Amino acid sequence: MTDRLQPDAVDAILAQWKRERPDLDASPMGPIGRIMRCSALLQRRLGETFSTFGMSAGEFDVLATLRRSGAPYCLSPKALFSTLMITSGTMTHRLQRLEANGWVLRVPNSQDARSMLVQLTPAGLELIDRAVEVHIETERAILALIEPTSVTALDVHLSALLSELERPDCEAPVKGGR
Amino acid sequence: MTDRLQPDAVDAILAQWKRERPDLDASPMGPIGRIMRCSALLQRRLGETFSTFGMSAGEFDVLATLRRSGAPYCLSPKALFSTLMITSGTMTHRLQRLEANGWVLRVPNSQDARSMLVQLTPAGLELIDRAVEVHIETERAILALIEPTSVTALDVHLSALLSELERPDCEAPVKGGR
DNA sequence: TCAAACTATCTTGAAGTCAAGACATATGAG
DNA sequence: CTCATATGTCTTGACTTCAAGATAGTTTGA
């Protein structure tokens, strides 16, 4: 194991496995455990911003996906739940909440009568434009906790891993109704 | 942005924000989005192993925490839910499921009549000892998708970030009853 | 043209999680 | 010793998510 300045929770876990199961090489738990634990802690921190704006992380994701798709800020539920890696039923519920808050609107899809399209309202657009600014600043502050060179290195190597995990022949399927 | 061999989903998101909100520097979304997206995909893959053994990821976490604490494989619910970053209510439910499966047992705590201690049964010990071996091999196979030097770099820099995120003055509180 | 296969969405029921608070016990200041 | 406060666990109710399947509309191939 590489020497580090400060031990983290994962170091403690690895030390315990080493003591209890010296026959195992548990080292893969290091990077993978750290990714998952960082993710959990990040979600907690970023969630504080979202509640400031009266929304959940999931709602932010939907609004942000619509916003960055560009005018007229209109996508199908299918496009949304595929992008967000959630099931169609979950998307139905999220859209109900967002619609009840007046942040999105469902408009008929003239191309396909099976589906409605989901469109950002002016209030939704205004909200996500403000929220994303605060969100990015929060993220920037978090990354400022470590060296800029570490941030760059993380980005490069995480991208390599993510590219592999996203390969269609590796990925587990998402249930969208069949 | 650093050039990479293959674009991933986060590259696409950053490009969309660049087009729609050129006034924002969304670059912090890169590393943070990749951590969270890798984590989601990893959870999905690792979950397949757990269901092979008839358990959920959460149940694996509890059994593994007890196992690596060493003989007599006995911890308080408080110690478990603090370690696992979940609430006390969630732990109550997990322990009920684990107890119903015969993998843990609740024994009286002579030191503190408010609490029972949770102990791995022989069946639970045998199960987690087999499951953790498969789990580690799955993790090893995933990390083998990228260069060994990338794995090492990831580990070092994630540890730096995790250490910062875990500092008590930064962390959001966990609700355990007050 | 028509039926079979496919697709997009929603519904339903089960499971897991959390926040808040109830309850019993423990601790410590006086 | 006693009471106020702190602590550990469980309960409750709401919310979110998922898997499976129902429903309605679309596409394809003969």
Side-chain angles (χ1 to χ4, degrees), chain A residues 77-78 88 92 106 114-115 176-177:
Chain A
K78 168 75 171 171
S88 60
T92 299
R106 299 165 102 95
R114 288 170 301 182
S115 66

Side-chain angles (χ1 to χ4, degrees), chain B residues 73-93:
Chain B
Y73 313 117
C74 200
L75 294 171
S76 69
K78 168 75 172 169
L80 285 168
F81 76 67
S82 303
T83 304
L84 296 175
M85 305 198 298
I86 60 177
T87 61
S88 60
T90 299
M91 183 53 64
T92 300
H93 291 137

Side-chain angles (χ1 to χ4, degrees), chain A residues 94-163:
Chain A
R94 279 195 198 170
L95 291 176
Q96 284 169 352
R97 293 197 304 277
L98 291 168
E99 192 171 21
N101 279 317
W103 296 331
V104 305
L105 207 64
R106 299 165 102 95
V107 302
N109 182 352
S110 53
Q111 304 304 303
D112 187 338
R114 288 170 301 182
S115 66
M116 304 291 275
L117 292 177
V118 180
Q119 182 167 32
L120 228 43
T121 62
L125 176 59
E126 195 262 347
L127 178 69
I128 189 61
D129 267 341
R130 279 189 299 129
V132 76
E133 293 182 15
V134 177
H135 174 63
I136 289 176
E137 289 316 309
T138 307
E139 290 184 325
R140 200 185 313 283
I142 290 169
L143 293 179
L145 294 170
I146 61 174
E147 296 293 329
T149 54
S150 283
V151 175
T152 305
L154 267 184
D155 202 37
V156 171
H157 300 299
L158 283 169
S159 180
L161 178 60
L162 184 55
S163 296

